[in-house]
Amino acid sequence: MFGKIIISTIIIVILSSFVFIYQSIPEYQGEWSSKHIDNDVKIFRDKTFGIPHIHAKTLKEGYYGLGFVHAQDRLWQLHLRRMSSQGRLSEIFGYRQEILNIDKYIRNLGYLESCKRIVEKLSEEARIHLQSYADGINDGVKSLQILPIEFKILGLQFQDWQIFDTVAFIKLMSLLNVNDMFHEFMRSKFDELYGRELANILGSVGPHNQFDSNVTEVQENEWIQFIQTHNVSYNQKFQQSSNYTNDSQNIKTKKYNLTEILQSIPEYYSNYIFPTLKASNAWVISGNHTKSGKPHLANDPHLDNNIPSQWYQAEIYFQMENQEYNYIIGGTLPGLPISMSGRSKYLGWGLTTLYSDGGDIYEEEIIIKEGEQLFYKFNDEWIPCNKTVEIIKIKGQEDQSITIFHTHHGPIMQYYLENNKLRDHKGHFYSLQSIVHIDDYESFDGFIKFAQGKDLKQSMEHLKHICYPNNGMVFISHDNHIGYLSTGRLVIKEGHPEENGYVKKNNKEWIRYVPYSEIPMIIDPEKGYIVVANNKFIPENELSWNSQPTSRGRRINDLINQMINKGQKFSILDHIKLQSDTYDSYACNTKDELIQLLKKYDKQKELINEIVFLENWNCKWDSDSSGALLYGVFEYFYSFKFHSQLDEAVIKQWNNFYMFDSFHFKNLIEMNNAQPNDQILNQPYCNGSVQDKCAQNLIESLREAKQYIHDKYGNQTTDWKWGSLHNQVFPHAFSKTPFAFIFERKIPFHSNRRSVAVSSYDLDGSFNGKTGSNYKQIISMDPEESNFFVIDTGISGNPFSKLYTNQMDIWKENKYVKMKFGNRTDYDLLYVIHPN
C-alpha cells in the first residue's frame, strides 16, 4: 500500500511538472484585447527562432507591442533589472548579506531622486511613448497563464511596470559604463606604493604610457577638419606632467583599504544582473568600397554572456506622421523601448562604449558636528552635507534604513563597504561625481526622433541630446552616407588630465560640459570607412588623454585597410569573417620580443620545446589551437607575478582590464631593449628578489604553464587545445543555487579579450569566458543584399522553451539569422492585440 502511494505521488509530481512546463511557455498565436491601444497590434513570429515582428499603426503602439513581447519572453529579466537598478533585490531574495550590500550600494549611488524628477518633467511625446511601452509589459504579464518559474521558486508576484523603472534602469546601465572611475582607487594605491611615475605606467595614464595609442576612432586629419569647422574650444595639448611630488608623510598616514573597496563594487557580486557594456566593435564601409555600391555596417556589442541573453531581437513596423511606413529592427535591451543597435528603412546604426571619463571619485575630509550632522571641507570652509534616508525592504524581515550624505560632488560612498556605518579611512571619505546624476529630460526625445529620421546628419543631431550612456556610434544611410558620433555628456575638468586617473582632491572641479555643437561628429570621411572598438575616440587632448587603446581597433583597421589598398570590394561575407577573427595583434606584434627574452633568461634550457611552440603559434585563439592554450596559461601565471603587497582581488582587477594590456606589451618591448641589471628589469612592482626579476618572472610563468598543461592534458601536444580549457559560460541569477542545472549553460569556445571575436575571461583559474559578442549584426543598405543578426542564447528566458538556447550553436559557429523586415506577413505565427 505504501509503495503504491509513493508511485502515485511520483506520477502526480511528474504530470504536474509537465503541466507547469506546458503552461509556462507563452502563446505566440492567439488574440488579446487592450484598452491602451487604438488600433490592432499584430505580432508575427517564425517557429524556428521566435523573433517578433510587431506591426502597428503608430510608433507608440509599436512600443506597446515591444513591451508586450518583452513580458512574454523576458519577464524575470525585466523584474531583476528593475529591482537591481532601484536597490530592491532584498525584496526578492530576502536577507542575504551580499544582496543587502548591493541594495545599499545602489541606493548610495544617489540617482533615484533624479529619476523621479525626470519622470515628472518628461516631454509629452516621451511620456506617451514610454507609458505605452510600460502598458505593453503590463498587458503582456496578464496574457500569461502562469508567471515564469523564477517567480514560483521565490514566491513572487510581478508589480506593474512604470516609466520610473525604465529611467532607473538606463541610469544604472549608464553608470556602470562610466568605466574609469572604478580604477581610480587602484591607481591611487599604486601611487601610494610606488610613486606617481610608476603608477602612471602601471595604470596606463597618458598616451606616453599606452601601447599603440595612435589608433583612434576619429583620425588626426578628420579631427583637424572638425575642430576648424566647429571652432572647438577644448583641444588642449599636454605633455607628460612632472609636477607631482611624492609626499612620504602622506604615504604613512593615508591608506586606501583597496581590497574592501574593490570587492564591494557590485560588478564583483552580480555580473548576471547588470548589462554593463564592457566593450564592442563597430565599423561602417562607404559604398565606394562595397561590391553593391551601398554602405555596410557591422556591430557586435560585448556585454556579459548571461542567460537569458542581454539582448532581444525584434522589429517594429509602423506608420510615421506623413503616413509613410517605416520599420526598426535590431537588438533591444528588455527594460528599454529602444533598438540600441539596428536599422530602419533609411538608417543603420551600431554602438560601442566610448570610454570617456564621465565619473570621478573625490576624496573628502569629513567631520561630525552637532550630533550626527556631517560637514565636509571645501575651499577651506566646512559645508554641511545634504542628507537623505533610504528604506530598504527585506523579504520576511523588518525594513532597514540607511542614511546617505551628499557633497556638491555627489553622494559619499559609505556603502562601498559591508556595513551601514561610515568607515573612516584615516579621516577621509569618498564621494562620487558622475554624469548619471544629471537630470536628463532630452534623451528619450532624441531616440524617438532619430528612429523616424531619413536624413543622416539631421538624425545624428537628435542623438547629440543624449545625456548618457557615453557611446561611440556609427551610422549608414539609404542615400550612401556614413557617419560617426560620440553620445553622452563629455566633461571638461580642472588640472592636468593625468590627475583625472586618480582619486581627486576636492579642489579639482568639473568646469563644464562640451557644447552640443562641439561633440565629435564625422560624416563621410575621405578614407571611406570608420572603425570604433573602444579605442581613443579622438586624437590626444584633455578628453582622450587617458582613453585606452585596444588590439581589436588595430586589427579591424589593418584588415579593412588591406582590402582597400588592394582595391578589393567588401561583401557581407567579408564582415562575417572579420567579426569571427581570432587573431591577437598585440601578442603577435610583441611575440619576437617575448621569444628573445625567454631564450635569453632560460639559462637551464628547460623550456626549449615550449619556446619553439610559441614561435610557431600563428597568434590565433582558435578552439583547436595548442599555441593559444600555451600562451593563455602562460599569460595567466605571469599576470600574478606583480604586486606582492596587494590582495589577489586587486591584482585581478588590474589584469582584467585594457590598462594591463598597455602595460604588459609595452613593457615586453622595453625589457627586451634593456641591458642586464637595468632598472626596467628590477622594478619594485615585480615579485621576487633575484637579479632581473621582471624578466625572470617570464621564465617562471612559462615553467608553471608547462607543468599545468602537462598535468591536465599529458605530453601529447595534439591533445592541447584552447577550446578544451576555455568555455563560454552563461550564468543565471540562480547559478549559485541548487537550481543551477535548470538554467545555466556553457559551451567550449574560442578567442580571448584582444581578438575581434571577443571572449574575456576572469583570472580566477577557471579560464571560463564571461563576456563576448552577445549580439551581432551586419547591415547593408542595398535592398538586394541580405542583412543578418544573432544573439548568444535565444529569444526566450524560459528554460523549458526550445527558444531558450537555439541561437547558441549558430552564434558559436559564427553563423547568423537572416533579418526579415518591412511589410512582410509570411511568418508562421500570428498574435493579434485588439483595441478594447
Side-chain angles (χ1 to χ4, degrees):
M1 182 69 180
F2 182 73
K4 290 182 179 180
I5 293 173
I6 294 294
I7 293 172
S8 299
T9 302
I10 293 172
I11 292 172
I12 291 171
V13 169
I14 292 172
L15 289 175
S16 298
S17 298
F18 278 116
V19 170
F20 176 84
I21 290 170
Y22 175 78
Q23 290 184 330
S24 70
I25 298 174
E27 294 287 345
Y28 292 152
Q29 197 162 11
E31 293 182 287
W32 184 259
S33 61
S34 172
K35 65 181 180 181
H36 299 297
I37 55 176
D38 299 318
N39 305 279
D40 282 355
V41 173
K42 297 179 179 180
I43 302 169
F44 297 92
R45 298 186 191 241
D46 64 276
K47 289 182 178 179
T48 306
F49 298 108
I51 297 169
H53 300 263
I54 302 155
H55 287 217
K57 183 72 171 177
T58 64
L59 180 60
K60 176 181 79 73
E61 290 168 329
Y63 280 172
Y64 170 89
L66 184 62
F68 194 93
V69 296
H70 279 172
Q72 282 186 309
D73 293 321
R74 300 290 185 84
L75 188 63
W76 169 249
Q77 186 178 51
L78 283 167
H79 189 57
L80 197 61
R81 287 179 171 180
R82 164 168 58 189
M83 303 304 272
S84 62
S85 63
Q86 297 173 33
R88 297 172 59 194
L89 289 173
S90 295
E91 296 179 35
I92 298 177
F93 298 107
Y95 179 78
R96 288 169 52 189
Q97 188 60 54
E98 67 271 22
I99 295 297
L100 184 59
N101 292 340
I102 296 174
D103 285 344
K104 290 177 180 179
Y105 178 90
I106 298 303
R107 301 293 184 93
N108 199 169
L109 291 172
Y111 59 69
L112 294 181
E113 289 300 318
S114 174
C115 294
K116 294 175 184 176
R117 293 191 295 270
I118 290 170
V119 172
E120 291 173 357
K121 296 184 179 180
L122 284 170
S123 73
E124 187 63 22
E125 183 177 31
R127 184 181 308 282
I128 287 171
H129 285 78
L130 291 174
Q131 185 60 54
S132 188
Y133 174 71
D135 292 337
I137 291 174
N138 298 330
D139 280 355
V141 175
K142 295 171 186 174
S143 76
L144 301 176
Q145 295 185 68
I146 57 175
L147 294 178
I149 186 173
E150 294 93 338
F151 289 86
K152 296 297 181 184
I153 291 172
L154 294 171
L156 302 174
Q157 294 298 315
F158 184 83
Q159 303 162 358
D160 277 355
W161 192 268
Q162 308 290 336
I163 295 176
F164 178 87
D165 301 324
T166 296
V167 175
F169 173 57
I170 200 168
K171 282 262 194 187
L172 181 60
M173 184 184 71
S174 301
L175 180 64
L176 294 179
N177 291 327
V178 181
N179 292 275
D180 196 65
M181 69 185 187
F182 293 119
H183 306 299
E184 292 172 7
F185 283 115
M186 182 193 308
R187 295 196 189 100
S188 296
K189 186 65 178 181
F190 289 159
D191 186 21
E192 179 184 294
L193 290 172
Y194 311 120
R196 184 58 64 95
E197 182 179 353
L198 290 185
N200 281 347
I201 291 171
L202 293 167
S204 297
V205 176
H208 37 279
N209 291 315
Q210 294 165 357
F211 183 77
D212 195 30
S213 67
N214 61 334
V215 178
T216 55
E217 296 176 348
V218 176
Q219 296 184 355
E220 184 72 38
N221 61 326
E222 298 159 2
W223 181 241
I224 291 172
Q225 183 177 355
F226 178 81
I227 64 175
Q228 291 174 346
T229 303
H230 295 84
N231 195 27
V232 168
S233 59
Y234 57 87
N235 196 44
Q236 187 174 351
K237 303 294 183 181
F238 292 89
Q239 298 297 322
Q240 183 174 1
S241 177
S242 59
N243 297 325
Y244 302 119
T245 58
N246 210 0
D247 188 334
S248 59
Q249 186 174 359
N250 282 345
I251 292 177
K252 291 178 183 177
T253 61
K254 193 194 320 174
K255 295 292 183 182
Y256 291 88
N257 195 340
L258 188 63
T259 299
E260 280 189 293
I261 290 170
L262 290 180
Q263 287 180 328
S264 65
I265 292 174
E267 189 174 3
Y268 281 83
Y269 288 131
S270 52
N271 277 327
Y272 54 80
I273 294 177
F274 305 122
T276 56
L277 197 60
K278 308 283 186 176
S280 297
N281 304 315
W283 60 90
V284 288
I285 308 290
S286 162
N288 295 332
H289 300 301
T290 65
K291 290 182 178 179
S292 66
K294 293 288 186 179
H296 290 172
L297 181 149
N299 183 209
D300 54 299
H302 309 151
L303 308 178
D304 292 321
N305 290 109
N306 300 329
I307 197 162
S309 176
Q310 306 278 15
W311 294 90
Y312 182 96
Q313 301 139 299
E315 180 199 13
I316 298 176
Y317 180 76
F318 65 100
Q319 192 173 27
M320 297 196 294
E321 291 180 358
N322 62 1
Q323 307 304 308
E324 181 183 359
Y325 273 92
N326 197 355
Y327 57 83
I328 304 168
I329 186 169
T332 69
L333 292 171
L336 299 178
I338 297 163
S339 181
M340 302 293 288
S341 179
R343 67 161 296 169
S344 68
K345 184 177 180 180
Y346 302 102
L347 304 172
W349 57 93
L351 82 165
T352 68
T353 298
L354 192 64
Y355 278 85
S356 61
D357 190 5
D360 284 303
I361 303 293
Y362 278 81
E363 182 179 289
E364 309 279 12
E365 188 174 352
I366 299 288
I367 60 173
I368 300 176
K369 299 194 304 186
E370 303 171 8
E372 295 184 355
Q373 178 61 52
L374 265 63
F375 289 74
Y376 70 102
K377 195 173 186 178
F378 182 71
N379 287 340
D380 294 325
E381 292 185 24
W382 289 101
I383 302 172
C385 295
N386 293 325
K387 182 172 70 172
T388 57
V389 176
E390 291 281 339
I391 305 298
I392 299 177
K393 296 182 180 299
I394 303 173
K395 181 182 177 184
Q397 292 201 12
E398 292 184 3
D399 299 348
Q400 284 196 20
S401 65
I402 62 172
T403 302
I404 301 167
F405 298 93
H406 305 256
T407 73
H408 71 281
H409 296 128
I412 297 173
M413 302 303 292
Q414 64 261 40
Y415 296 105
Y416 268 123
L417 306 178
E418 297 184 4
N419 57 53
N420 61 355
K421 298 178 181 179
L422 286 171
R423 290 287 294 269
D424 187 344
H425 294 272
K426 304 299 180 183
H428 296 88
F429 303 90
Y430 309 103
S431 63
L432 170 65
Q433 184 167 15
S434 168
I435 59 171
V436 177
H437 293 125
I438 302 170
D439 291 351
D440 172 24
Y441 308 117
E442 299 181 283
S443 290
F444 290 109
D445 294 279
F447 277 119
I448 291 167
K449 291 174 182 175
F450 170 80
Q452 302 177 77
K454 294 183 179 181
D455 179 83
L456 179 61
K457 184 177 185 302
Q458 191 177 73
S459 299
M460 289 167 66
E461 290 287 345
H462 291 312
L463 295 185
K464 284 185 176 182
H465 293 262
I466 293 174
C467 189
Y468 38 77
N470 286 121
N471 287 328
M473 297 191 69
V474 289
F475 306 87
I476 55 178
S477 69
H478 68 109
D479 53 354
N480 295 338
H481 297 291
I482 64 174
Y484 166 88
L485 175 69
S486 63
T487 66
R489 291 291 176 270
L490 301 173
V491 187
I492 306 296
K493 306 174 184 181
E494 285 185 331
H496 193 284
E498 288 181 10
E499 296 177 82
N500 296 325
Y502 296 84
V503 173
K504 296 168 74 75
K505 307 299 181 184
N506 64 12
N507 61 342
K508 296 295 183 182
E509 296 294 296
W510 287 16
I511 301 173
R512 62 186 175 91
Y513 300 113
V514 170
Y516 293 144
S517 62
E518 299 180 30
I519 291 173
M521 184 172 84
I522 305 295
I523 294 178
D524 295 331
E526 186 177 345
K527 67 181 183 291
Y529 69 91
I530 303 168
V531 175
V532 293
N534 315 117
N535 288 65
K536 296 165 74 75
F537 57 99
I538 51 179
E540 293 165 12
N541 64 19
E542 59 262 55
L543 295 181
S544 64
W545 190 254
N546 296 322
S547 298
Q548 299 293 318
T550 71
S551 59
R552 294 175 286 105
R554 163 61 67 186
R555 177 65 170 167
I556 297 166
N557 271 281
D558 286 350
L559 291 179
I560 290 175
N561 266 316
Q562 286 174 21
M563 286 194 64
I564 290 176
N565 291 338
K566 291 177 182 178
Q568 297 174 338
K569 302 286 188 178
F570 284 83
S571 67
I572 295 298
L573 182 60
D574 293 314
H575 301 296
I576 292 175
K577 290 179 179 177
L578 188 44
Q579 281 190 339
S580 59
D581 185 79
T582 65
Y583 181 85
D584 185 340
S585 63
Y586 282 10
C588 228
N589 290 343
T590 57
K591 194 172 74 166
D592 288 345
E593 284 80 3
L594 174 61
I595 297 298
Q596 291 172 37
L597 283 164
L598 291 171
K599 287 180 176 179
K600 183 176 181 179
Y601 286 93
D602 181 24
K603 305 295 186 182
Q604 306 300 320
K605 305 302 179 186
E606 59 181 315
L607 298 170
I608 293 175
N609 291 336
E610 284 69 32
I611 293 172
V612 170
F613 221 73
L614 291 175
E615 282 183 306
N616 294 329
W617 178 44
N618 63 2
C619 304
K620 291 187 176 182
W621 293 78
D622 296 330
S623 293
D624 59 356
S625 172
S626 51
L629 174 69
L630 179 59
Y631 194 96
V633 177
F634 154 74
E635 193 173 51
Y636 166 75
F637 283 110
Y638 181 63
S639 67
F640 288 97
K641 301 300 182 187
F642 301 91
H643 314 304
S644 59
Q645 308 95 317
L646 297 179
D647 187 273
E648 188 173 289
V650 182
I651 301 172
K652 285 180 181 178
Q653 198 217 20
W654 178 58
N655 293 342
N656 279 322
F657 196 64
Y658 299 134
M659 68 176 68
F660 178 76
D661 291 340
S662 258
F663 162 77
H664 169 48
F665 294 110
K666 191 171 185 289
N667 193 51
L668 280 179
I669 295 172
E670 292 172 349
M671 285 199 298
N672 189 55
N673 292 333
Q675 297 299 315
N677 210 31
D678 277 358
Q679 183 179 5
I680 189 68
L681 301 172
N682 296 279
Q683 293 286 11
Y685 48 71
C686 295
N687 294 351
S689 57
V690 299
Q691 182 182 333
D692 298 342
K693 60 181 180 178
C694 296
Q696 292 289 353
N697 283 339
L698 294 169
I699 298 298
E700 181 63 24
S701 300
L702 189 57
R703 187 184 300 120
E704 291 173 355
K706 173 184 176 180
Q707 187 64 48
Y708 177 93
I709 294 173
H710 279 262
D711 289 346
K712 195 172 183 68
Y713 299 108
N715 298 326
Q716 294 295 322
T717 58
T718 53
D719 296 329
W720 295 9
K721 296 181 180 180
W722 176 234
S724 298
L725 181 64
H726 176 57
N727 293 295
Q728 202 74 6
V729 177
F730 300 86
H732 184 275
F734 286 4
S735 285
K736 296 180 180 179
T737 74
F739 300 100
F741 73 97
I742 298 175
F743 299 100
E744 189 173 282
R745 302 289 187 272
K746 71 176 182 178
I747 53 175
F749 206 62
H750 48 75
S751 305
N752 81 337
R753 75 175 178 223
R754 293 185 298 270
S755 57
V756 177
V758 161
S759 175
S760 295
Y761 53 93
D762 279 349
L763 297 170
D764 57 5
S766 70
F767 294 94
N768 286 332
K770 295 183 65 179
T771 302
S773 51
N774 332 77
Y775 169 77
K776 296 193 286 187
Q777 68 175 18
I778 298 171
I779 293 171
S780 170
M781 280 297 163
D782 185 345
E784 301 302 317
E785 280 189 299
S786 295
N787 290 226
F788 297 95
F789 57 0
V790 68
I791 57 176
D792 50 353
T793 57
I795 280 291
S796 177
N798 187 323
F800 308 117
S801 169
K802 69 176 184 178
L803 304 179
Y804 189 59
T805 58
N806 68 332
Q807 295 188 53
M808 186 179 287
D809 286 339
I810 62 173
W811 173 81
K812 173 189 172 183
E813 299 297 329
N814 300 307
K815 297 177 182 177
Y816 298 75
V817 178
K818 184 177 179 180
M819 281 188 185
K820 295 181 179 181
F821 47 79
N823 189 22
R824 303 175 62 109
T825 57
D826 54 338
Y827 301 101
D828 305 312
L829 305 170
L830 173 61
Y831 196 102
V832 182
I833 307 171
H834 302 289
N836 205 348

